[in-house]
Amino acid sequence: VRGFFEREAEQYGLAQKEPVRVDLYDRVDDLPPAYDPSSNVLSRMLWSLRLRWWAWSAGEQEGRVPPDIRVFVLFHDPTLTRQVPHSVGLQKGLLGVVHAFAHRDMIAQNNVVIAHELMHTLGATDKYDPESGQPLFPDGYADPEQDPLHPQEQAEVMAGRRALSNSEWEMAPSLRSVVVGSLTAAEINWMERP
């Protein structure tokens, strides 16, 4: 994940050598409150408060400096779970909860989800249709000026998928095939708004 942020920050001329520092902390045994994407606004607000309280108490580790951003990764056994719950990243509270598959073959795609949710904590918004998962044109495309437009060679990080055609897309296989688009870069203050 660190290499992705360094590579992409360089594309935008950021002078920071390490735009995102990643430190691993000890395992947390308590689970965060479950998120229900179909809940109403009041329920989501209460869930957000409970999540922030949980993250504050679960993330404190003696002898360690508290991190600015906390991203908790919950691993699921792919033999028991076909589809993981929705991952979230919150700018308010600077925290994320990523649901990932605990399998060596899924490490690269898990890292795409981790980077995506981390970008939410920095202020980036989704660039895909929440109902279908389809990357939104133009901001959800890695190269909206590509000719021909499809298939896209890469995915925009906040879409997480690359468009193969107007109606087909696939999950980015790794962070090597993901870029930070200009709107996302503006949202996280890497550049002025286009």
Side-chain angles (χ1 to χ4, degrees), residues 55-187:
W56 175 80
S57 60
E60 294 297 318
Q61 295 188 1
E62 195 173 322
R64 301 286 305 264
V65 175
D68 295 324
I69 299 171
R70 294 178 172 108
V71 176
F72 298 89
V73 182
L74 283 68
F75 289 97
H76 300 264
D77 184 339
T79 62
L80 302 174
T81 307
R82 289 185 41 80
Q83 184 175 353
V84 296
H86 188 75
S87 296
V88 293
L90 303 176
Q91 186 175 12
K92 288 186 179 180
L94 298 172
L95 67 104
V97 176
V98 172
H99 291 274
F101 284 111
H103 194 280
R104 184 166 283 140
D105 293 343
M106 295 299 295
I107 292 171
Q109 278 193 336
N110 288 341
N111 285 340
V112 172
V113 179
I114 292 167
H116 175 96
E117 299 306 338
L118 178 58
M119 296 293 274
H120 276 309
T121 70
L122 300 172
T125 59
D126 285 325
K127 310 291 187 295
Y128 63 87
D129 180 281
E131 296 296 317
S132 67
Q134 180 177 8
L136 297 174
F137 182 81
D139 299 321
Y141 279 51
D143 186 359
E145 296 178 16
Q146 177 181 297
D147 186 24
L149 186 59
H150 300 106
Q152 287 282 299
E153 297 294 319
Q154 297 180 300
E156 204 284 339
V157 66
M158 297 312 294
R161 301 148 183 91
R162 76 180 182 105
L164 303 174
S165 71
N166 282 331
S167 59
E168 297 176 287
W169 53 92
E170 68 180 8
M171 174 77 177
S174 74
L175 286 172
R176 286 183 215 158
S177 62
V178 174
V179 299
V180 173
S182 59
L183 179 57
T184 299
E187 289 171 338

